[in-house]
Amino acid sequence: MKRFLIVTLISLFLIGFSITSAQRPYIAMISKGFQHQFWQAVKMGAEKAAKDLNVTITFEGPESEAMVDKQIEMLQAALAKKPAALCIAALDSKAVIPYLEKAHSMGIPVIGFDSGVDSDIPVTTVATDNIKAAGYAADMMAKFINRVGEVALVVHDQTSRTGIDRRDGFVNRIKQKYPLIKIVAIQYGGGDHLKSTDLAKAIIQAHPRLKGIFGANEGSAIGVINAVREMNKVGKIVVIGYDSGKQQIDAIKSGLMAGAITQNPVGMGYMAVEAAVKAIKGEKLPKFIDSGFYWYDKTNIDDPKIKQCLYE
């Protein structure tokens, strides 16, 4: 009788657990990769949201951000599990579209995060507002050079959405708010720090009265740092960067770089899961959700809120 009672209790527990698990929506998340600390931070935020909102998630991505085919395979495998929602940071904004169309036909809401796709299928995309963030970088540049003088930009490219938005966000803010600041050069280094170094050195040589340079991504910013050091302009030219990385962090701590913009990967992961839950419930979402950004410099670089957004 005692054994029968124990077996019955265990069975009831398992049945209860099964019901609870079955009632918890499953959300598949596929990132661009795992080689950057950035994605680990996104995963951390997603897992916190899953716990807070009582959903089950899987978070996976290819080993490198060049592995488009691997990401497509992961996307196919995720759809085979029939998730309640799918979150995707697409490596190729076009290649994923057939699979997003399949998700749509299966009634699975799609959430974009970090990067958009060339399709209206995602019910929303959670990402950094690069125009706003670059505008803030322009405000900080103006502050450091007392709102007057010549400045320049080294941007990663003029074809990607991030390159265009960071360039335009910075340039337009300067033109709108700071009439005594003149943008004397905009160069594109492909995100390569060596090429960006050469470009920044050429800018400095051509404009001896230059007061500041904005490097629009990690590689661009490192190139500018190198150029300022090699041209003996430390303390004479204000350097402002974007993103993170060991060399930028070291440059900020040493005073070589005034500060930089970092994205909010933890918040991005949290908001993506939050949006997926709302989509599952049929709630209406905006087409774009700004995951925010932070300005960091030597005064706040060790703040836990900032540190979790930085990566080396």
Side-chain angles (χ1 to χ4, degrees), residues 3-135:
R3 184 178 179 184
F4 174 77
L5 183 61
I6 291 172
V7 171
T8 301
L9 288 172
I10 292 174
S11 299
L12 288 172
F13 172 79
L14 292 174
I15 290 170
F17 178 79
S18 176
I19 290 172
T20 302
S21 298
Q23 290 175 338
R24 186 180 300 151
Y26 162 55
I27 299 168
M29 300 190 72
I30 301 175
S31 73
K32 286 182 175 177
F34 266 116
Q35 81 270 41
H36 291 148
Q37 189 60 33
F38 178 86
W39 294 112
Q40 296 298 329
V42 175
K43 181 173 182 282
M44 184 191 306
E47 289 175 340
K48 184 174 190 317
K51 184 178 180 181
D52 291 350
L53 303 173
N54 195 32
V55 297
T56 298
I57 68 166
T58 50
F59 193 103
E60 57 184 342
E63 289 81 1
S64 89
E65 296 185 16
M67 301 174 74
V68 176
D69 291 343
K70 183 71 176 293
Q71 189 185 53
I72 295 294
E73 290 175 9
M74 291 177 168
L75 187 52
Q76 290 175 302
L79 290 177
K81 296 177 185 175
K82 299 179 180 177
L86 171 70
C87 298
I88 175 78
L91 282 171
D92 187 317
S93 62
K94 290 183 169 56
V96 298
I97 291 176
Y99 304 95
L100 303 191
E101 288 173 344
K102 182 178 180 182
H104 186 64
S105 69
M106 295 168 67
I108 300 170
V110 176
I111 311 297
F113 66 103
D114 183 66
S115 298
V117 297
D118 297 340
S119 166
D120 289 331
I121 288 177
V123 293
T124 189
T125 298
V126 181
T128 304
D129 185 335
N130 283 296
I131 291 178
K132 186 191 294 183

Side-chain angles (χ1 to χ4, degrees), residues 20 42 49 56 113 120 151 173 192 239 252 271 279 284 312:
T20 302
V42 175
T56 298
F113 66 103
D120 289 331
V151 300
R173 181 67 60 87
D192 181 88
V239 180
I252 287 174
M271 292 177 202
K284 188 171 177 58
E312 298 189 351

Side-chain angles (χ1 to χ4, degrees), residues 8 14 71 103 174 178 184 188 201 206 292 294:
T8 301
L14 292 174
Q71 189 185 53
I174 292 293
Y178 307 106
V184 294
Y188 302 93
K201 287 167 70 174
Y294 294 106

Side-chain angles (χ1 to χ4, degrees), residues 55-249:
V55 297
T56 298
I57 68 166
T58 50
F59 193 103
E60 57 184 342
E63 289 81 1
S64 89
E65 296 185 16
M67 301 174 74
V68 176
D69 291 343
K70 183 71 176 293
Q71 189 185 53
I72 295 294
E73 290 175 9
M74 291 177 168
L75 187 52
Q76 290 175 302
L79 290 177
K81 296 177 185 175
K82 299 179 180 177
L86 171 70
C87 298
I88 175 78
L91 282 171
D92 187 317
S93 62
K94 290 183 169 56
V96 298
I97 291 176
Y99 304 95
L100 303 191
E101 288 173 344
K102 182 178 180 182
H104 186 64
S105 69
M106 295 168 67
I108 300 170
V110 176
I111 311 297
F113 66 103
D114 183 66
S115 298
V117 297
D118 297 340
S119 166
D120 289 331
I121 288 177
V123 293
T124 189
T125 298
V126 181
T128 304
D129 185 335
N130 283 296
I131 291 178
K132 186 191 294 183
Y136 192 86
D139 287 335
M140 297 307 292
M141 178 67 81
K143 176 183 174 183
F144 282 111
I145 65 171
N146 296 318
R147 297 175 173 240
V148 60
E150 296 180 348
V151 300
L153 293 81
V154 176
V155 184
H156 38 298
D157 63 61
Q158 53 185 328
T159 54
S160 73
R161 196 67 259 165
T162 58
I164 294 167
D165 287 351
R166 292 177 193 176
R167 176 198 64 197
D168 292 351
F170 187 94
V171 169
N172 291 339
R173 181 67 60 87
I174 292 293
K175 288 182 178 178
Q176 290 164 0
K177 289 188 63 179
Y178 307 106
L180 299 181
I181 296 177
K182 182 180 180 182
I183 296 173
V184 294
I186 303 174
Q187 295 291 339
Y188 302 93
D192 181 88
H193 70 278
L194 295 176
K195 185 176 180 181
S196 298
T197 300
D198 291 339
L199 290 172
K201 287 167 70 174
I203 292 172
I204 292 169
Q205 285 178 325
H207 302 279
R209 292 184 296 179
L210 195 72
K211 285 193 171 181
I213 308 180
F214 171 50
N217 81 338
E218 181 180 351
S220 306
I222 291 170
V224 174
I225 292 168
N226 292 339
V228 168
R229 185 190 291 117
E230 292 175 20
M231 299 291 285
N232 295 317
K233 292 290 185 179
V234 177
K236 298 176 183 175
I237 293 179
V238 174
V239 180
I240 286 179
Y242 206 110
D243 290 327
S244 179
K246 188 177 189 315
Q247 291 185 63
Q248 283 202 77
I249 291 171

